[in-house]
Structure formats: structure tokens, C-alpha cells
mmCIF file of all heavy atoms in Angstrom:
data_model
loop_
_atom_site.group_PDB
_atom_site.id
_atom_site.type_symbol
_atom_site.label_atom_id
_atom_site.label_comp_id
_atom_site.label_asym_id
_atom_site.label_seq_id
_atom_site.Cartn_x
_atom_site.Cartn_y
_atom_site.Cartn_z
ATOM 1 N N ALA A 5 -50.229 60.140 -16.697
ATOM 2 C CA ALA A 5 -51.275 59.263 -16.164
ATOM 3 C C ALA A 5 -52.657 59.700 -16.644
ATOM 4 O O ALA A 5 -53.545 58.862 -16.864
ATOM 5 C CB ALA A 5 -51.229 59.259 -14.635
ATOM 6 N N PHE A 6 -52.853 61.008 -16.825
ATOM 7 C CA PHE A 6 -54.136 61.520 -17.306
ATOM 8 C C PHE A 6 -54.315 61.259 -18.803
ATOM 9 O O PHE A 6 -55.362 60.802 -19.254
ATOM 10 C CB PHE A 6 -54.258 63.018 -17.023
ATOM 11 C CG PHE A 6 -54.452 63.347 -15.572
ATOM 12 C CD1 PHE A 6 -53.571 64.199 -14.920
ATOM 13 C CD2 PHE A 6 -55.504 62.810 -14.841
ATOM 14 C CE1 PHE A 6 -53.735 64.511 -13.578
ATOM 15 C CE2 PHE A 6 -55.679 63.109 -13.502
ATOM 16 C CZ PHE A 6 -54.792 63.966 -12.866
ATOM 17 N N THR A 7 -53.271 61.569 -19.577
ATOM 18 C CA THR A 7 -53.373 61.469 -21.029
ATOM 19 C C THR A 7 -53.508 60.017 -21.502
ATOM 20 O O THR A 7 -54.000 59.763 -22.606
ATOM 21 C CB THR A 7 -52.151 62.113 -21.710
ATOM 22 O OG1 THR A 7 -50.961 61.486 -21.226
ATOM 23 C CG2 THR A 7 -52.089 63.607 -21.390
ATOM 24 N N HIS A 8 -53.087 59.062 -20.677
ATOM 25 C CA HIS A 8 -53.174 57.650 -21.064
ATOM 26 C C HIS A 8 -54.203 56.893 -20.228
ATOM 27 O O HIS A 8 -54.224 55.656 -20.238
ATOM 28 C CB HIS A 8 -51.797 56.984 -20.916
ATOM 29 C CG HIS A 8 -50.796 57.446 -21.920
ATOM 30 N ND1 HIS A 8 -50.176 58.672 -21.838
ATOM 31 C CD2 HIS A 8 -50.317 56.856 -23.043
ATOM 32 C CE1 HIS A 8 -49.352 58.822 -22.850
ATOM 33 N NE2 HIS A 8 -49.418 57.743 -23.594
ATOM 34 N N PHE A 9 -55.062 57.621 -19.543
ATOM 35 C CA PHE A 9 -56.040 56.982 -18.652
ATOM 36 C C PHE A 9 -57.011 56.096 -19.427
ATOM 37 O O PHE A 9 -57.488 55.080 -18.919
ATOM 38 C CB PHE A 9 -56.817 58.045 -17.865
ATOM 39 C CG PHE A 9 -57.484 57.501 -16.634
ATOM 40 C CD1 PHE A 9 -56.758 57.272 -15.471
ATOM 41 C CD2 PHE A 9 -58.842 57.199 -16.620
ATOM 42 C CE1 PHE A 9 -57.363 56.760 -14.330
ATOM 43 C CE2 PHE A 9 -59.456 56.688 -15.485
ATOM 44 C CZ PHE A 9 -58.714 56.469 -14.336
ATOM 45 N N GLY A 10 -57.296 56.465 -20.663
ATOM 46 C CA GLY A 10 -58.225 55.679 -21.462
ATOM 47 C C GLY A 10 -57.705 54.309 -21.852
ATOM 48 O O GLY A 10 -58.466 53.475 -22.375
ATOM 49 N N GLU A 11 -56.424 54.047 -21.591
ATOM 50 C CA GLU A 11 -55.820 52.772 -21.989
ATOM 51 C C GLU A 11 -55.887 51.708 -20.900
ATOM 52 O O GLU A 11 -55.391 50.589 -21.099
ATOM 53 C CB GLU A 11 -54.356 53.009 -22.380
ATOM 54 C CG GLU A 11 -54.182 53.973 -23.553
ATOM 55 C CD GLU A 11 -52.734 54.371 -23.778
ATOM 56 O OE1 GLU A 11 -51.847 53.760 -23.140
ATOM 57 O OE2 GLU A 11 -52.491 55.296 -24.564
ATOM 58 N N ILE A 12 -56.503 52.030 -19.770
ATOM 59 C CA ILE A 12 -56.501 51.088 -18.651
ATOM 60 C C ILE A 12 -57.674 50.109 -18.680
ATOM 61 O O ILE A 12 -57.726 49.181 -17.877
ATOM 62 C CB ILE A 12 -56.505 51.826 -17.293
ATOM 63 C CG1 ILE A 12 -57.844 52.545 -17.076
ATOM 64 C CG2 ILE A 12 -55.339 52.787 -17.196
ATOM 65 C CD1 ILE A 12 -58.002 53.122 -15.690
ATOM 66 N N PHE A 13 -58.611 50.297 -19.607
ATOM 67 C CA PHE A 13 -59.833 49.490 -19.577
ATOM 68 C C PHE A 13 -59.675 48.192 -20.377
ATOM 69 O O PHE A 13 -60.364 47.954 -21.366
ATOM 70 C CB PHE A 13 -61.017 50.323 -20.088
ATOM 71 C CG PHE A 13 -61.251 51.560 -19.272
ATOM 72 C CD1 PHE A 13 -60.818 52.801 -19.734
ATOM 73 C CD2 PHE A 13 -61.859 51.483 -18.031
ATOM 74 C CE1 PHE A 13 -61.022 53.943 -18.975
ATOM 75 C CE2 PHE A 13 -62.068 52.616 -17.266
ATOM 76 C CZ PHE A 13 -61.635 53.855 -17.727
ATOM 77 N N THR A 14 -58.748 47.360 -19.910
ATOM 78 C CA THR A 14 -58.521 46.036 -20.479
ATOM 79 C C THR A 14 -58.380 45.045 -19.332
ATOM 80 O O THR A 14 -58.135 45.437 -18.180
ATOM 81 C CB THR A 14 -57.232 46.003 -21.331
ATOM 82 O OG1 THR A 14 -56.100 46.239 -20.469
ATOM 83 C CG2 THR A 14 -57.269 47.070 -22.423
ATOM 84 N N ILE A 15 -58.545 43.746 -19.630
ATOM 85 C CA ILE A 15 -58.405 42.729 -18.575
ATOM 86 C C ILE A 15 -56.988 42.739 -18.017
ATOM 87 O O ILE A 15 -56.777 42.593 -16.809
ATOM 88 C CB ILE A 15 -58.752 41.337 -19.133
ATOM 89 C CG1 ILE A 15 -60.237 41.271 -19.499
ATOM 90 C CG2 ILE A 15 -58.429 40.253 -18.102
ATOM 91 C CD1 ILE A 15 -60.679 39.934 -20.064
ATOM 92 N N GLU A 16 -56.012 42.924 -18.913
ATOM 93 C CA GLU A 16 -54.618 42.952 -18.480
ATOM 94 C C GLU A 16 -54.377 44.079 -17.485
ATOM 95 O O GLU A 16 -53.762 43.871 -16.430
ATOM 96 C CB GLU A 16 -53.707 43.133 -19.696
ATOM 97 C CG GLU A 16 -52.229 42.972 -19.377
ATOM 98 C CD GLU A 16 -51.382 42.996 -20.627
ATOM 99 O OE1 GLU A 16 -51.614 43.870 -21.484
ATOM 100 O OE2 GLU A 16 -50.488 42.146 -20.757
ATOM 101 N N MET A 17 -54.888 45.269 -17.782
ATOM 102 C CA MET A 17 -54.711 46.405 -16.874
ATOM 103 C C MET A 17 -55.558 46.248 -15.614
ATOM 104 O O MET A 17 -55.198 46.765 -14.553
ATOM 105 C CB MET A 17 -55.046 47.711 -17.590
ATOM 106 C CG MET A 17 -53.942 48.220 -18.508
ATOM 107 S SD MET A 17 -52.344 48.433 -17.659
ATOM 108 C CE MET A 17 -52.777 49.692 -16.429
ATOM 109 N N LEU A 18 -56.686 45.523 -15.725
ATOM 110 C CA LEU A 18 -57.484 45.253 -14.530
ATOM 111 C C LEU A 18 -56.670 44.441 -13.528
ATOM 112 O O LEU A 18 -56.666 44.730 -12.329
ATOM 113 C CB LEU A 18 -58.752 44.483 -14.906
ATOM 114 C CG LEU A 18 -59.621 43.990 -13.725
ATOM 115 C CD1 LEU A 18 -60.104 45.171 -12.882
ATOM 116 C CD2 LEU A 18 -60.806 43.174 -14.230
ATOM 117 N N VAL A 19 -55.945 43.435 -14.030
ATOM 118 C CA VAL A 19 -55.077 42.627 -13.166
ATOM 119 C C VAL A 19 -53.971 43.493 -12.567
ATOM 120 O O VAL A 19 -53.639 43.385 -11.384
ATOM 121 C CB VAL A 19 -54.467 41.457 -13.961
ATOM 122 C CG1 VAL A 19 -53.398 40.741 -13.130
ATOM 123 C CG2 VAL A 19 -55.553 40.487 -14.378
ATOM 124 N N VAL A 20 -53.417 44.387 -13.386
ATOM 125 C CA VAL A 20 -52.359 45.288 -12.917
ATOM 126 C C VAL A 20 -52.881 46.187 -11.802
ATOM 127 O O VAL A 20 -52.250 46.331 -10.745
ATOM 128 C CB VAL A 20 -51.827 46.146 -14.090
ATOM 129 C CG1 VAL A 20 -50.948 47.280 -13.564
ATOM 130 C CG2 VAL A 20 -51.046 45.278 -15.067
ATOM 131 N N ILE A 21 -54.044 46.790 -12.021
ATOM 132 C CA ILE A 21 -54.619 47.699 -11.023
ATOM 133 C C ILE A 21 -54.963 46.955 -9.742
ATOM 134 O O ILE A 21 -54.715 47.443 -8.627
ATOM 135 C CB ILE A 21 -55.868 48.402 -11.599
ATOM 136 C CG1 ILE A 21 -55.462 49.354 -12.736
ATOM 137 C CG2 ILE A 21 -56.604 49.182 -10.509
ATOM 138 C CD1 ILE A 21 -56.625 49.901 -13.527
ATOM 139 N N LEU A 22 -55.528 45.751 -9.873
ATOM 140 C CA LEU A 22 -55.849 44.941 -8.697
ATOM 141 C C LEU A 22 -54.587 44.625 -7.898
ATOM 142 O O LEU A 22 -54.605 44.624 -6.667
ATOM 143 C CB LEU A 22 -56.551 43.651 -9.112
ATOM 144 C CG LEU A 22 -58.025 43.749 -9.485
ATOM 145 C CD1 LEU A 22 -58.535 42.416 -10.012
ATOM 146 C CD2 LEU A 22 -58.861 44.194 -8.288
ATOM 147 N N THR A 23 -53.500 44.355 -8.604
ATOM 148 C CA THR A 23 -52.241 44.049 -7.919
ATOM 149 C C THR A 23 -51.700 45.279 -7.202
ATOM 150 O O THR A 23 -51.270 45.204 -6.046
ATOM 151 C CB THR A 23 -51.198 43.515 -8.916
ATOM 152 O OG1 THR A 23 -51.735 42.368 -9.587
ATOM 153 C CG2 THR A 23 -49.914 43.116 -8.204
ATOM 154 N N PHE A 24 -51.698 46.427 -7.893
ATOM 155 C CA PHE A 24 -51.297 47.676 -7.243
ATOM 156 C C PHE A 24 -52.113 47.881 -5.973
ATOM 157 O O PHE A 24 -51.577 48.195 -4.899
ATOM 158 C CB PHE A 24 -51.543 48.869 -8.178
ATOM 159 C CG PHE A 24 -50.468 49.091 -9.201
ATOM 160 C CD1 PHE A 24 -50.795 49.389 -10.521
ATOM 161 C CD2 PHE A 24 -49.131 49.018 -8.860
ATOM 162 C CE1 PHE A 24 -49.805 49.611 -11.467
ATOM 163 C CE2 PHE A 24 -48.128 49.232 -9.802
ATOM 164 C CZ PHE A 24 -48.470 49.530 -11.113
ATOM 165 N N LEU A 25 -53.423 47.709 -6.105
ATOM 166 C CA LEU A 25 -54.340 47.961 -4.999
ATOM 167 C C LEU A 25 -54.108 46.973 -3.862
ATOM 168 O O LEU A 25 -54.029 47.360 -2.692
ATOM 169 C CB LEU A 25 -55.780 47.857 -5.509
ATOM 170 C CG LEU A 25 -56.898 48.348 -4.587
ATOM 171 C CD1 LEU A 25 -56.756 49.838 -4.332
ATOM 172 C CD2 LEU A 25 -58.257 48.056 -5.217
ATOM 173 N N PHE A 26 -53.976 45.698 -4.228
ATOM 174 C CA PHE A 26 -53.824 44.647 -3.227
ATOM 175 C C PHE A 26 -52.549 44.831 -2.409
ATOM 176 O O PHE A 26 -52.577 44.827 -1.178
ATOM 177 C CB PHE A 26 -53.810 43.284 -3.923
ATOM 178 C CG PHE A 26 -53.492 42.144 -3.006
ATOM 179 C CD1 PHE A 26 -54.464 41.588 -2.197
ATOM 180 C CD2 PHE A 26 -52.203 41.634 -2.935
ATOM 181 C CE1 PHE A 26 -54.161 40.542 -1.337
ATOM 182 C CE2 PHE A 26 -51.897 40.597 -2.091
ATOM 183 C CZ PHE A 26 -52.880 40.042 -1.287
ATOM 184 N N VAL A 27 -51.429 44.981 -3.099
ATOM 185 C CA VAL A 27 -50.147 45.100 -2.401
ATOM 186 C C VAL A 27 -50.119 46.356 -1.537
ATOM 187 O O VAL A 27 -49.669 46.323 -0.382
ATOM 188 C CB VAL A 27 -48.977 45.103 -3.405
ATOM 189 C CG1 VAL A 27 -47.647 45.303 -2.679
ATOM 190 C CG2 VAL A 27 -48.943 43.799 -4.184
ATOM 191 N N ASP A 28 -50.596 47.484 -2.062
ATOM 192 C CA ASP A 28 -50.621 48.723 -1.285
ATOM 193 C C ASP A 28 -51.523 48.593 -0.071
ATOM 194 O O ASP A 28 -51.223 49.092 1.011
ATOM 195 C CB ASP A 28 -51.086 49.880 -2.175
ATOM 196 C CG ASP A 28 -50.916 51.233 -1.490
ATOM 197 O OD1 ASP A 28 -50.056 51.341 -0.598
ATOM 198 O OD2 ASP A 28 -51.636 52.179 -1.836
ATOM 199 N N PHE A 29 -52.656 47.916 -0.247
ATOM 200 C CA PHE A 29 -53.602 47.683 0.850
ATOM 201 C C PHE A 29 -52.897 47.131 2.076
ATOM 202 O O PHE A 29 -52.978 47.688 3.170
ATOM 203 C CB PHE A 29 -54.642 46.666 0.386
ATOM 204 C CG PHE A 29 -56.036 47.229 0.277
ATOM 205 C CD1 PHE A 29 -56.255 48.558 -0.013
ATOM 206 C CD2 PHE A 29 -57.134 46.399 0.443
ATOM 207 C CE1 PHE A 29 -57.527 49.064 -0.127
ATOM 208 C CE2 PHE A 29 -58.407 46.895 0.329
ATOM 209 C CZ PHE A 29 -58.615 48.230 0.048
ATOM 210 N N PHE A 30 -52.211 46.006 1.867
ATOM 211 C CA PHE A 30 -51.690 45.271 3.009
ATOM 212 C C PHE A 30 -50.307 45.748 3.437
ATOM 213 O O PHE A 30 -49.921 45.597 4.585
ATOM 214 C CB PHE A 30 -51.708 43.786 2.692
ATOM 215 C CG PHE A 30 -53.095 43.321 2.328
ATOM 216 C CD1 PHE A 30 -53.385 42.909 1.045
ATOM 217 C CD2 PHE A 30 -54.116 43.362 3.253
ATOM 218 C CE1 PHE A 30 -54.661 42.522 0.690
ATOM 219 C CE2 PHE A 30 -55.400 42.983 2.915
ATOM 220 C CZ PHE A 30 -55.679 42.557 1.630
ATOM 221 N N ASP A 31 -49.592 46.341 2.505
ATOM 222 C CA ASP A 31 -48.327 46.968 2.867
ATOM 223 C C ASP A 31 -48.592 48.117 3.824
ATOM 224 O O ASP A 31 -47.941 48.264 4.861
ATOM 225 C CB ASP A 31 -47.621 47.467 1.600
ATOM 226 C CG ASP A 31 -46.181 47.876 1.871
ATOM 227 O OD1 ASP A 31 -45.615 47.423 2.877
ATOM 228 O OD2 ASP A 31 -45.627 48.647 1.076
ATOM 229 N N THR A 32 -49.594 48.927 3.474
ATOM 230 C CA THR A 32 -49.960 50.066 4.321
ATOM 231 C C THR A 32 -50.514 49.621 5.665
ATOM 232 O O THR A 32 -50.117 50.126 6.717
ATOM 233 C CB THR A 32 -51.010 50.940 3.607
ATOM 234 O OG1 THR A 32 -50.464 51.434 2.388
ATOM 235 C CG2 THR A 32 -51.426 52.110 4.480
ATOM 236 N N ALA A 33 -51.434 48.662 5.629
ATOM 237 C CA ALA A 33 -52.050 48.190 6.869
ATOM 238 C C ALA A 33 -51.001 47.623 7.818
ATOM 239 O O ALA A 33 -51.001 47.921 9.025
ATOM 240 C CB ALA A 33 -53.103 47.135 6.555
ATOM 241 N N GLY A 34 -50.094 46.811 7.284
ATOM 242 C CA GLY A 34 -49.049 46.227 8.121
ATOM 243 C C GLY A 34 -48.134 47.268 8.723
ATOM 244 O O GLY A 34 -47.762 47.191 9.900
ATOM 245 N N THR A 35 -47.776 48.267 7.908
ATOM 246 C CA THR A 35 -46.892 49.329 8.395
ATOM 247 C C THR A 35 -47.566 50.153 9.483
ATOM 248 O O THR A 35 -46.957 50.459 10.517
ATOM 249 C CB THR A 35 -46.473 50.254 7.234
ATOM 250 O OG1 THR A 35 -45.739 49.488 6.280
ATOM 251 C CG2 THR A 35 -45.608 51.394 7.745
ATOM 252 N N LEU A 36 -48.824 50.520 9.262
ATOM 253 C CA LEU A 36 -49.546 51.330 10.241
ATOM 254 C C LEU A 36 -49.646 50.615 11.583
ATOM 255 O O LEU A 36 -49.419 51.206 12.640
ATOM 256 C CB LEU A 36 -50.946 51.670 9.726
ATOM 257 C CG LEU A 36 -51.034 52.647 8.553
ATOM 258 C CD1 LEU A 36 -52.481 52.826 8.116
ATOM 259 C CD2 LEU A 36 -50.438 53.995 8.929
ATOM 260 N N VAL A 37 -49.975 49.337 11.527
ATOM 261 C CA VAL A 37 -50.100 48.562 12.769
ATOM 262 C C VAL A 37 -48.747 48.443 13.470
ATOM 263 O O VAL A 37 -48.649 48.621 14.686
ATOM 264 C CB VAL A 37 -50.672 47.158 12.474
ATOM 265 C CG1 VAL A 37 -50.579 46.273 13.718
ATOM 266 C CG2 VAL A 37 -52.118 47.262 12.016
ATOM 267 N N ALA A 38 -47.684 48.178 12.708
ATOM 268 C CA ALA A 38 -46.353 48.012 13.293
ATOM 269 C C ALA A 38 -45.874 49.289 13.968
ATOM 270 O O ALA A 38 -45.391 49.270 15.113
ATOM 271 C CB ALA A 38 -45.365 47.584 12.216
ATOM 272 N N VAL A 39 -46.011 50.415 13.264
ATOM 273 C CA VAL A 39 -45.552 51.689 13.816
ATOM 274 C C VAL A 39 -46.409 52.105 15.009
ATOM 275 O O VAL A 39 -45.897 52.554 16.039
ATOM 276 C CB VAL A 39 -45.578 52.798 12.738
ATOM 277 C CG1 VAL A 39 -45.171 54.138 13.339
ATOM 278 C CG2 VAL A 39 -44.649 52.435 11.586
ATOM 279 N N ALA A 40 -47.729 51.944 14.867
ATOM 280 C CA ALA A 40 -48.641 52.341 15.943
ATOM 281 C C ALA A 40 -48.426 51.502 17.198
ATOM 282 O O ALA A 40 -48.492 52.016 18.321
ATOM 283 C CB ALA A 40 -50.086 52.218 15.466
ATOM 284 N N THR A 41 -48.157 50.232 17.021
ATOM 285 C CA THR A 41 -47.908 49.354 18.165
ATOM 286 C C THR A 41 -46.633 49.760 18.888
ATOM 287 O O THR A 41 -46.591 49.836 20.121
ATOM 288 C CB THR A 41 -47.809 47.886 17.705
ATOM 289 O OG1 THR A 41 -49.034 47.497 17.079
ATOM 290 C CG2 THR A 41 -47.529 46.975 18.889
ATOM 291 N N GLN A 42 -45.571 50.044 18.110
ATOM 292 C CA GLN A 42 -44.302 50.442 18.710
ATOM 293 C C GLN A 42 -44.447 51.762 19.469
ATOM 294 O O GLN A 42 -43.853 51.937 20.533
ATOM 295 C CB GLN A 42 -43.231 50.589 17.634
ATOM 296 C CG GLN A 42 -41.864 50.982 18.206
ATOM 297 C CD GLN A 42 -40.820 51.179 17.121
ATOM 298 O OE1 GLN A 42 -41.109 51.001 15.949
ATOM 299 N NE2 GLN A 42 -39.617 51.564 17.503
ATOM 300 N N ALA A 43 -45.260 52.675 18.930
ATOM 301 C CA ALA A 43 -45.407 53.988 19.552
ATOM 302 C C ALA A 43 -46.452 53.995 20.670
ATOM 303 O O ALA A 43 -46.584 54.992 21.390
ATOM 304 C CB ALA A 43 -45.794 55.023 18.484
ATOM 305 N N GLY A 44 -47.204 52.905 20.797
ATOM 306 C CA GLY A 44 -48.216 52.822 21.844
ATOM 307 C C GLY A 44 -49.509 53.536 21.500
ATOM 308 O O GLY A 44 -50.245 53.962 22.394
#
């Protein structure tokens, strides 16, 4: 990931990174709320 970091600065990789970020954002938020609600 370090040695190829310079290859991410393209529109295609921008879409990829946004997707990684977006899905992780709401996957995490949903999980945290679900678990926290169940545990009180």
C-alpha cells in the first residue's frame, strides 16, 4: 500500500476511495448503533 501510494491520484481511484469510504462509513455507523442499542 505504501509502495503504490503514488498511483491513487486518478479520477478512477478517487471513485474507488470514495466508495471504500462511503460503505465503511455507514456499515460502521449502522453496526455501532445496532450493537449499542442491544446492549443498552
Side-chain angles (χ1 to χ4, degrees):
F6 288 123
T7 57
H8 290 75
F9 199 79
E11 299 171 10
I12 68 172
F13 301 101
T14 65
I15 294 180
E16 188 173 45
M17 281 304 298
L18 174 60
V19 171
V20 168
I21 293 170
L22 282 174
T23 304
F24 278 137
L25 192 63
F26 173 81
V27 177
D28 189 25
F29 246 29
F30 303 112
D31 191 21
T32 299
T35 298
L36 290 177
V37 170
V39 177
T41 300
Q42 181 182 359

